[in-house]
């Protein structure tokens, strides 16, 4: 991925290449795999929401994500941040498989 997306101004635009091998341009609709950085960004966001009093790190997951399987609903948010929830890794999800299938490679 060599390029950038900008959604500050309308309409959203992309610059550069999404794929240098195929010369595919970056667009506002380009799907990118963000990798491990999303863990830190998500954790910082959850901690900031807790600091603001908008949620508690001891809240059960089901309070914020009622669509989760029943056995995961009582797990506290804190367990996700410390990677002690027991929830299986998301690495082989349909979304990732689809992404790799569309992009022709692995991360």
């Amino acid at each position: 991925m060599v390029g950038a997306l900008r959604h500050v101004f309308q309409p959203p635009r992309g610059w550069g290449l999404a794929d240098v091998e195929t010369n595919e341009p970056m667009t506002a609709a380009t799907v990118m795999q963000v990798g491990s950085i999303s863990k830190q960004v998500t954790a910082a966001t959850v901690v900031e929401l807790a600091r603001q009093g908008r949620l508690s790190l001891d809240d059960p997951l089901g309070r914020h994500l009622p669509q989760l399987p029943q056995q995961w609903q009582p797990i506290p948010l804190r367990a996700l941040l410390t990677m002690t929830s027991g929830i299986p890794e998301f690495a082989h999800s349909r979304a990732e498989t689809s992404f790799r299938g569309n992009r022709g490679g692995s991360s």
Side-chain angles (χ1 to χ4, degrees):
M1 170 182 63
V2 178
L5 291 178
R6 175 177 273 177
H7 288 275
V8 176
F9 302 103
Q10 294 297 326
R13 298 181 354 189
W15 288 271
L17 297 175
D19 188 328
V20 294
E21 293 175 7
T22 64
N23 236 11
E24 178 185 343
M26 181 79 71
T27 71
T30 300
V31 176
M32 295 177 280
Q33 191 168 19
V34 295
S36 293
I37 190 67
S38 62
K39 294 177 192 124
Q40 291 90 340
V41 172
T42 301
T45 301
V46 169
V47 170
E48 177 60 20
L49 290 170
R51 188 190 68 75
Q52 293 174 10
R54 297 172 68 185
L55 57 77
S56 168
L57 296 180
D58 296 316
D59 284 349
L61 294 179
R63 180 174 298 160
H64 303 284
L65 301 167
Q67 71 277 19
L68 287 176
Q70 191 64 35
Q71 67 269 26
W72 296 353
Q73 296 221 3
I75 297 171
L77 286 171
R78 181 183 312 275
L80 289 180
L81 298 178
T82 60
M83 296 187 200
T84 59
S85 69
I87 295 176
E89 189 175 330
F90 190 67
H92 301 294
S93 70
R94 276 186 275 165
E96 183 172 335
T97 302
S98 173
F99 175 82
R100 286 185 176 163
N102 291 336
R103 303 287 292 134
S106 61
S107 58

